[in-house]
Amino acid sequence: RTIHESGSGMVPVYANENLSVMSIAFMIPNEDAAVVWRGPRKNGLIKKFLTETCWDEEGLDYLIIDTPPGTSDEHISTVQYLQGAIGARTGNGDGGDEEGPRLSGAVMVTTPEEVAMMDVRKELDFCRKTKLPVLGIVENMARFQTSIQNISFVARNEDGKDVDCTNDALTLLEQKCPEVLNMMIAANIFPPSGDGPRGMADKYNVPFLGSIPLDPNLLQSCEEGKCFTQTFPESSAVASLNRIVDRIEKALPVYYDDDESMKEKP
């Protein structure tokens, strides 16, 4: 998929009629090529994406910017460009004035171990210094959860090698304890540090939006470019993901212009 130029600007790639995407990945000929750019060139591309993309004639409900961990120059540029655009449109200075329109906020996503939360704490401080509201924290890969029938069983033989014995184990369970086959198993692949992301949210006085379990179906959907909730509606992470999205939508309801008043979209 590639980005096309039009008289109105760059046309994003449409995943479906309600979701359009802009990425530097669509602009390089080889998907395995490294992007070796210095700060000014990267910042220039960020500004180009924000100012020259023809998203939709009716505008966007949400503009979601996925950034890497940390507090790099790209994060600073993105916030400043957006605040500047809001300020220029409204005459509200840098767009960070609490009395006027401003950026909706940032959602922090972290796994529960300390090395990941360390980065998020720095990002929370970054948001404070740039006057960027924090909508909440999401715990990703909170735990692995799947049904008994989706796992493999192994036994170590006399030579110290692992041998697959899944069929024998499932047969034994069906004979001796069939109700177990309808159960789910769960394990903390990444043990939380202290009180984990929920405790960090409490410490920084920001909402905890929820936890998403480690779900292989979610990874498969991302790699295949499919809608996870539609492709695997019964998967373990679907309910958690929907609850998080509902909480974000509640914090940021979408409105449209009406002749008489501003009404929330159904």
PDB file of all heavy atoms in Angstrom, residues 35-45 73-74:
ATOM      1  N   VAL A  35      15.105   3.466   8.251  1.00  0.00           N
ATOM      2  CA  VAL A  35      14.940   4.898   8.037  1.00  0.00           C
ATOM      3  C   VAL A  35      16.015   5.602   8.870  1.00  0.00           C
ATOM      4  O   VAL A  35      15.865   5.767  10.079  1.00  0.00           O
ATOM      5  CB  VAL A  35      13.533   5.372   8.445  1.00  0.00           C
ATOM      6  CG1 VAL A  35      13.392   6.867   8.200  1.00  0.00           C
ATOM      7  CG2 VAL A  35      12.468   4.597   7.676  1.00  0.00           C
ATOM      8  N   VAL A  36      17.112   5.980   8.209  1.00  0.00           N
ATOM      9  CA  VAL A  36      18.247   6.590   8.908  1.00  0.00           C
ATOM     10  C   VAL A  36      18.182   8.098   8.674  1.00  0.00           C
ATOM     11  O   VAL A  36      18.814   8.632   7.760  1.00  0.00           O
ATOM     12  CB  VAL A  36      19.586   6.001   8.422  1.00  0.00           C
ATOM     13  CG1 VAL A  36      20.738   6.526   9.272  1.00  0.00           C
ATOM     14  CG2 VAL A  36      19.544   4.488   8.480  1.00  0.00           C
ATOM     15  N   TRP A  37      17.379   8.760   9.498  1.00  0.00           N
ATOM     16  CA  TRP A  37      17.177  10.204   9.372  1.00  0.00           C
ATOM     17  C   TRP A  37      17.566  10.893  10.666  1.00  0.00           C
ATOM     18  O   TRP A  37      17.346  10.364  11.752  1.00  0.00           O
ATOM     19  CB  TRP A  37      15.711  10.515   9.072  1.00  0.00           C
ATOM     20  CG  TRP A  37      15.256  10.146   7.701  1.00  0.00           C
ATOM     21  CD1 TRP A  37      15.991   9.546   6.731  1.00  0.00           C
ATOM     22  CD2 TRP A  37      13.951  10.338   7.162  1.00  0.00           C
ATOM     23  NE1 TRP A  37      15.235   9.340   5.617  1.00  0.00           N
ATOM     24  CE2 TRP A  37      13.976   9.828   5.844  1.00  0.00           C
ATOM     25  CE3 TRP A  37      12.782  10.890   7.649  1.00  0.00           C
ATOM     26  CZ2 TRP A  37      12.862   9.863   5.024  1.00  0.00           C
ATOM     27  CZ3 TRP A  37      11.663  10.924   6.838  1.00  0.00           C
ATOM     28  CH2 TRP A  37      11.710  10.423   5.531  1.00  0.00           C
ATOM     29  N   ARG A  38      18.093  12.088  10.528  1.00  0.00           N
ATOM     30  CA  ARG A  38      18.364  12.900  11.702  1.00  0.00           C
ATOM     31  C   ARG A  38      17.100  13.667  12.108  1.00  0.00           C
ATOM     32  O   ARG A  38      16.114  13.705  11.377  1.00  0.00           O
ATOM     33  CB  ARG A  38      19.514  13.887  11.420  1.00  0.00           C
ATOM     34  CG  ARG A  38      20.856  13.200  11.233  1.00  0.00           C
ATOM     35  CD  ARG A  38      21.978  14.223  11.138  1.00  0.00           C
ATOM     36  NE  ARG A  38      23.272  13.587  10.925  1.00  0.00           N
ATOM     37  CZ  ARG A  38      24.045  13.132  11.897  1.00  0.00           C
ATOM     38  NH1 ARG A  38      23.655  13.248  13.154  1.00  0.00           N
ATOM     39  NH2 ARG A  38      25.199  12.566  11.644  1.00  0.00           N
ATOM     40  N   GLY A  39      17.163  14.291  13.280  1.00  0.00           N
ATOM     41  CA  GLY A  39      16.005  14.950  13.857  1.00  0.00           C
ATOM     42  C   GLY A  39      15.270  15.913  12.951  1.00  0.00           C
ATOM     43  O   GLY A  39      14.044  15.815  12.802  1.00  0.00           O
ATOM     44  N   PRO A  40      15.964  16.872  12.300  1.00  0.00           N
ATOM     45  CA  PRO A  40      15.242  17.863  11.480  1.00  0.00           C
ATOM     46  C   PRO A  40      14.424  17.234  10.360  1.00  0.00           C
ATOM     47  O   PRO A  40      13.305  17.692  10.078  1.00  0.00           O
ATOM     48  CB  PRO A  40      16.381  18.724  10.916  1.00  0.00           C
ATOM     49  CG  PRO A  40      17.470  18.618  11.940  1.00  0.00           C
ATOM     50  CD  PRO A  40      17.385  17.218  12.443  1.00  0.00           C
ATOM     51  N   ARG A  41      14.962  16.186   9.745  1.00  0.00           N
ATOM     52  CA  ARG A  41      14.215  15.562   8.648  1.00  0.00           C
ATOM     53  C   ARG A  41      12.999  14.808   9.188  1.00  0.00           C
ATOM     54  O   ARG A  41      11.915  14.847   8.589  1.00  0.00           O
ATOM     55  CB  ARG A  41      15.120  14.616   7.866  1.00  0.00           C
ATOM     56  CG  ARG A  41      14.475  14.127   6.571  1.00  0.00           C
ATOM     57  CD  ARG A  41      15.440  13.339   5.719  1.00  0.00           C
ATOM     58  NE  ARG A  41      14.826  12.938   4.466  1.00  0.00           N
ATOM     59  CZ  ARG A  41      15.388  12.138   3.574  1.00  0.00           C
ATOM     60  NH1 ARG A  41      16.621  11.681   3.806  1.00  0.00           N
ATOM     61  NH2 ARG A  41      14.754  11.804   2.473  1.00  0.00           N
ATOM     62  N   LYS A  42      13.156  14.125  10.306  1.00  0.00           N
ATOM     63  CA  LYS A  42      12.023  13.434  10.920  1.00  0.00           C
ATOM     64  C   LYS A  42      10.958  14.428  11.360  1.00  0.00           C
ATOM     65  O   LYS A  42       9.764  14.204  11.157  1.00  0.00           O
ATOM     66  CB  LYS A  42      12.511  12.589  12.096  1.00  0.00           C
ATOM     67  CG  LYS A  42      13.294  11.362  11.698  1.00  0.00           C
ATOM     68  CD  LYS A  42      13.542  10.435  12.872  1.00  0.00           C
ATOM     69  CE  LYS A  42      14.555  10.995  13.824  1.00  0.00           C
ATOM     70  NZ  LYS A  42      14.896  10.016  14.892  1.00  0.00           N
ATOM     71  N   ASN A  43      11.387  15.525  11.956  1.00  0.00           N
ATOM     72  CA  ASN A  43      10.426  16.544  12.391  1.00  0.00           C
ATOM     73  C   ASN A  43       9.694  17.156  11.205  1.00  0.00           C
ATOM     74  O   ASN A  43       8.509  17.488  11.284  1.00  0.00           O
ATOM     75  CB  ASN A  43      11.141  17.629  13.184  1.00  0.00           C
ATOM     76  CG  ASN A  43      11.652  17.118  14.520  1.00  0.00           C
ATOM     77  OD1 ASN A  43      11.161  16.121  15.035  1.00  0.00           O
ATOM     78  ND2 ASN A  43      12.647  17.788  15.071  1.00  0.00           N
ATOM     79  N   GLY A  44      10.414  17.298  10.092  1.00  0.00           N
ATOM     80  CA  GLY A  44       9.782  17.826   8.890  1.00  0.00           C
ATOM     81  C   GLY A  44       8.697  16.901   8.373  1.00  0.00           C
ATOM     82  O   GLY A  44       7.634  17.360   7.916  1.00  0.00           O
ATOM     83  N   LEU A  45       8.941  15.594   8.449  1.00  0.00           N
ATOM     84  CA  LEU A  45       7.932  14.641   7.997  1.00  0.00           C
ATOM     85  C   LEU A  45       6.725  14.647   8.928  1.00  0.00           C
ATOM     86  O   LEU A  45       5.584  14.546   8.475  1.00  0.00           O
ATOM     87  CB  LEU A  45       8.532  13.235   7.917  1.00  0.00           C
ATOM     88  CG  LEU A  45       7.568  12.159   7.403  1.00  0.00           C
ATOM     89  CD1 LEU A  45       7.135  12.465   5.970  1.00  0.00           C
ATOM     90  CD2 LEU A  45       8.214  10.774   7.485  1.00  0.00           C
ATOM     91  N   ASP A  73      12.769  13.734  20.679  1.00  0.00           N
ATOM     92  CA  ASP A  73      12.498  14.977  19.971  1.00  0.00           C
ATOM     93  C   ASP A  73      11.196  14.896  19.182  1.00  0.00           C
ATOM     94  O   ASP A  73      10.477  15.883  19.028  1.00  0.00           O
ATOM     95  CB  ASP A  73      13.673  15.289  19.038  1.00  0.00           C
ATOM     96  CG  ASP A  73      13.592  16.676  18.435  1.00  0.00           C
ATOM     97  OD1 ASP A  73      13.198  17.617  19.161  1.00  0.00           O
ATOM     98  OD2 ASP A  73      13.907  16.826  17.243  1.00  0.00           O
ATOM     99  N   GLU A  74      10.888  13.676  18.680  1.00  0.00           N
ATOM    100  CA  GLU A  74       9.655  13.510  17.916  1.00  0.00           C
ATOM    101  C   GLU A  74       8.410  13.754  18.781  1.00  0.00           C
ATOM    102  O   GLU A  74       7.424  14.315  18.316  1.00  0.00           O
ATOM    103  CB  GLU A  74       9.592  12.107  17.301  1.00  0.00           C
ATOM    104  CG  GLU A  74      10.597  11.864  16.199  1.00  0.00           C
ATOM    105  CD  GLU A  74      11.905  11.293  16.727  1.00  0.00           C
ATOM    106  OE1 GLU A  74      12.239  11.566  17.907  1.00  0.00           O
ATOM    107  OE2 GLU A  74      12.582  10.593  15.982  1.00  0.00           O
TER     108      GLU A  74
END
